[in-house]
Amino acid sequence: MSDTVEVAVGRMDELTDPGCREFSIGEGDWPFLGFVVRKGNEVYAYQNFCVHVGHQLNWTPDGFFNKDDSAIQCASHGALYEIDTGLCFAGPCRGKSLRAVVVEVRDGVIYASGPTSM
Ligand code: FES
């Protein structure tokens, strides 16, 4: 099992509301890939891994939302996930959930913790 490492993802006020930012933990071919989501004063974080087939979720760098920014949408086959729970509510993996990542804000900076590989 790999160790858990905390990384600073960025300042809360650098993210739009709502907004996302990717991060990675670890080096080499299989770093742990994740993203944080800011919504109002809340921050959530998930592994960047669609529970359908395992592709990364985003359309563009830091681009994880559907058209109206109301949900996280997988770019591969369109699965929609709730921002605040990671639950898939539409699409091929309906009823499954993104893997949540430990996240907290300290002095305005978002920190995420995860393993150093997938
Ligand atoms: S890999 Fe995400 S919906 Fe298919």
Side-chain angles (χ1 to χ4, degrees):
M1 229 179 115
S2 61
D3 295 335
T4 297
V5 170
E6 182 181 81
V7 293
V9 181
R11 292 195 55 81
M12 181 90 160
D13 57 15
E14 292 169 352
L15 271 69
T16 55
D17 180 15
C20 301
R21 182 169 290 180
E22 296 176 66
F23 65 87
S24 64
I25 302 176
E27 310 285 332
D29 292 341
W30 301 103
F32 181 85
L33 301 178
F35 64 105
V36 299
V37 187
R38 175 192 178 189
K39 188 178 169 190
N41 290 325
E42 300 297 324
V43 182
Y44 310 93
Y46 302 102
Q47 184 177 16
N48 186 0
F49 183 91
C50 182
V51 294
H52 174 213
V53 177
H55 296 302
Q56 291 178 40
L57 291 154
N58 45 316
W59 306 83
T60 57
D62 298 332
F64 289 83
F65 289 140
N66 61 343
K67 271 206 175 102
D68 65 2
D69 290 347
S70 62
I72 296 160
Q73 184 164 31
C74 178
S76 292
H77 313 98
L80 289 167
Y81 296 89
E82 293 177 352
I83 289 173
D84 54 347
T85 66
L87 176 69
C88 179
F89 63 92
C93 41
R94 188 187 187 115
K96 295 186 179 171
S97 293
L98 297 176
R99 177 178 173 187
V101 171
V102 174
V103 64
E104 67 174 324
V105 179
R106 296 195 304 270
D107 296 330
V109 177
I110 303 168
Y111 294 92
S113 301
T116 53
S117 64
M118 285 186 66

